[in-house]
Amino acid sequence: MSGLTRGGRPAPPVRLVHLGLGNFFRAHQAWYTDRAGGDWGIAAFSGRRAELAEALNAQDGLYTLVTRAGDGDRFDVIGSLARAHPAAQHDAWLGCFRRPEVCGVTITVTEAGYLRCPDGGLDRDDDGVRADAETLRGDPGAPVHTAPGRLLAGLAARRGADAGPLALIPCDNLPENGAVAARVVSDMAELVEPGLRAWIEESVGVVTTMVDRITPRTTPEDIATVGGADRCPVVTEPFTEWVLTGAFPSGRPRWEEAGATFTDDIAPFEARKLWLLNGGHSLLAYAGSARGHATVAEAVADDTCRAWLEAWWAEASAHLSQPEAELAAYRAALLERFANPRMRHLLAQIAADGSQKLPIRILPVLRAERSAGRMPGGAVRVLAAWIRHLRDAGAPVADPRADALAALAAGPLAEAVRRILEDLDPALAADDELVAAVLEIARTR
C-alpha cells in the first residue's frame, strides 16, 4: 500500500477534543469523523503514556485503519486526527477547551476510568480523585491526572475564557453513559468549586451513546502488514455501530452520513449490545480461557463454549424489547463476527475489569430471571467462570480491585463464592439457591 499522506492538504482545524487515545477511538469516533466530511479535526489526548501520541505526530496524525474481513483486508488512511497529545501536555488540553470553535469532547476511558462508587457517583475517597480536587482548589490550571479531574479542569478553563457551550460525548460501554459522565464531573465540581456545577448544567450538552466495533490490540504482525510507513495502524472488523441521543449546543459533524444513528430512545440499543455482545464476550473471556482458548474465534469454535454462549443469549433476549426476528438476526451477525478467524481478539483483553463490567453486562438479566422464579444457567455460568478466573483459572486477572477480589476469592470455594456474590450485591449472596447454583458450576472443571 502507499505511504501516509494528506495529499498536500493541511490537517483539519481542531473542533473536537478527545480523551483516551486508544485503538477503539481511532477505529470508531475518528473513523466516523473522517467519513462525515467537512473541516472537523480532533485533538486527542492519551490517558497516561506518551509513546503513541509521539508516534502519531511523527506521521502528521495519519494512520492506517485495517478493516479485517474473513476474505481479506481493506486499508484506509484516516485523516481526522489533527493532533495527538500525551497526557502531560495539560496546557494544550486546557487550551483546546478555551477555543470557541471546539464544539465537543468525546471520551473513551473504559468503565473503570469514571472512578465511581457503588451508588454511581464519583468515588470521593479515591486517592487520585482527592489529589486532583486538592490540586484544582489550589490552582485550576495545574496538571491533574484522573478523567473526572481532567474534564473538570477543561470545563473550568472554558468557562474562564467565556468560550461558550459544548457537548460532552462519552463513548464507553456503559448504560446511560451521558448521565454517568455528567454525574462524576458534577460531583468533582462540588469538591472543587460548587459554583462551577451550575455553569456546567447550563452550558454543557450531555450526549448518551452506544458504540460497537470490535478492535483488538495491534500486533507486530499488523504493523508489518501495512509496511514501514505506518508505526500506528489499527485493525478492526467491518461491522460498526454508533447510536447517539442528546444535545449538541455548538454543532457537530454530520456523523449520520457515515452511518451513525440519532434517536430519542437509546435504551433498547444499549441493552441489546451490552447483554448480547459484551455479555457474550465476558462469558467467553472467563469460561473460554479456562478451557485453554486465547481468542474469541477459538472459543466460539468450541462446541461447548458456543452452547454456553447461546444459552446466555436466550436468557438475555427474553428481556429485550426488539422483535424476536430482529434479535435472531443480531445474534447470527454476532456469531459471524465472533467467528472471524482473522480478528485476533484476545480473551485476556476482554477479561480485564470484570468487577466494572459484570454489574452492567450480566446482573440485570440475572435479577430479571430470578424475579421471574427461574435459575438462569447462562448468567450463573458467567459468575462461576469469573470467580474461577479470580482464583487463577484461565486469563490473568487485570482489575482495578484485583487485590481485594483476590482476597475475597481465596480459601474454600464455597466461602469464596458467597463472598464474591456479596461483594457484587448483598442480595445475590442472600439467595441461597443462586449461591448453590454458582458453586455447583464453579466446582466443574
Side-chain angles (χ1 to χ4, degrees):
M1 59 173 295
S2 62
L4 301 177
T5 176
R6 292 188 185 273
R9 297 179 61 194
V14 172
R15 299 187 66 190
L16 295 169
V17 182
H18 182 79
L19 178 59
L21 180 58
N23 280 9
F24 180 74
F25 153 70
R26 294 192 289 138
H28 196 271
Q29 297 92 54
W31 178 85
Y32 277 94
T33 303
D34 183 77
R35 292 283 297 269
D39 289 329
W40 288 89
I42 306 169
F45 290 77
S46 67
R48 292 191 183 276
R49 297 176 57 198
E51 294 88 345
L52 178 58
E54 293 167 354
L56 283 164
N57 285 330
Q59 300 177 181
D60 196 26
L62 300 171
Y63 60 92
T64 307
L65 186 69
V66 183
T67 304
R68 183 152 290 168
D71 58 356
D73 292 341
R74 170 176 171 165
F75 301 90
D76 294 290
V77 175
I78 305 301
S80 56
L81 184 58
R83 185 73 182 171
H85 297 270
Q89 293 182 354
H90 190 64
D91 287 344
W93 170 260
L94 300 182
C96 287
F97 278 82
R98 293 186 180 113
R99 298 165 66 172
E101 65 270 25
V102 168
C103 298
V105 53
T106 53
I107 311 164
T108 51
V109 295
T110 77
E111 297 94 332
Y114 292 90
L115 299 174
R116 295 189 297 161
C117 56
D119 72 357
L122 182 68
D123 184 357
R124 301 176 187 226
D125 293 326
D126 178 83
D127 290 342
V129 168
R130 294 172 67 178
D132 280 359
E134 183 176 354
T135 296
L136 292 173
R137 284 193 294 265
D139 179 0
V144 288
H145 305 288
T146 67
R150 292 172 73 181
L151 290 167
L152 183 70
L155 294 173
R158 190 169 186 89
R159 182 190 64 170
D162 195 22
L166 87 169
L168 184 68
I169 314 163
C171 300
D172 288 293
N173 284 319
L174 288 164
E176 300 181 357
N177 56 22
V180 168
R183 171 78 182 275
V184 297
V185 170
S186 180
D187 287 353
M188 185 62 111
E190 284 291 330
L191 290 176
V192 174
E193 182 194 342
L196 183 55
R197 179 173 184 168
W199 181 87
I200 292 171
E201 291 175 350
E202 293 173 0
S203 303
V204 177
V206 177
V207 180
T208 297
T209 71
M210 189 283 291
V211 297
D212 188 3
R213 195 168 206 183
I214 295 171
T215 308
R217 292 191 178 102
T218 303
T219 68
E221 292 76 17
D222 297 329
I223 295 173
T225 297
V226 302
D230 187 354
R231 295 169 53 204
C232 314
V234 178
V235 174
T236 193
E237 64 170 336
F239 181 91
T240 183
E241 189 172 24
W242 197 9
V243 185
L244 307 94
T245 186
F248 298 84
S250 296
R252 60 170 177 81
R254 292 188 61 80
W255 286 316
E256 62 271 32
E257 294 189 0
T261 298
F262 289 83
T263 182
D264 293 329
D265 185 9
I266 202 169
F269 296 93
E270 289 181 329
R272 184 185 66 181
K273 193 257 182 169
L274 281 167
W275 299 351
L276 300 186
L277 186 145
N278 298 127
H281 267 167
S282 290
L283 169 61
L284 296 176
Y286 303 126
S289 67
R291 287 176 62 82
H293 303 302
T295 69
V296 171
E298 290 174 11
V300 83
D302 177 336
D303 289 343
T304 297
C305 288
R306 179 163 172 168
W308 290 342
L309 179 66
E310 291 179 339
W312 160 249
W313 280 348
E315 290 171 7
S317 295
H319 302 283
L320 292 169
S321 61
Q322 292 90 344
E324 174 52 32
E326 183 179 329
L327 291 173
Y330 185 82
R331 293 191 299 266
L334 282 182
L335 275 179
E336 182 177 354
R337 295 168 66 190
F338 286 6
N340 183 348
R342 303 187 67 247
M343 285 292 294
R344 188 168 172 78
H345 199 184
L346 296 176
L347 297 177
Q349 177 186 355
I350 299 167
D353 302 337
S355 67
Q356 306 284 328
K357 294 173 177 176
L358 296 192
I360 58 176
R361 298 180 177 189
I362 305 300
L363 296 193
V365 175
L366 172 66
R367 294 187 183 106
E369 285 288 289
R370 292 303 287 145
S371 294
R374 295 187 291 267
M375 183 59 67
V380 166
R381 184 167 298 282
V382 181
L383 293 180
W386 183 57
I387 292 169
R388 290 190 62 207
H389 161 75
L390 296 176
R391 292 167 64 91
D392 298 324
V397 177
D399 195 288
R401 300 185 59 234
D403 292 342
L405 291 167
L408 293 172
L413 182 59
E415 297 173 16
V417 165
R418 196 177 292 273
R419 284 195 299 264
I420 291 292
L421 293 180
E422 184 171 14
D423 187 70
L424 282 174
D425 179 355
L428 302 181
D431 184 342
D432 290 337
E433 289 185 55
L434 174 64
V435 173
V438 173
L439 178 59
E440 180 180 358
I441 293 181
R443 282 178 170 151
T444 304
R445 296 291 175 180

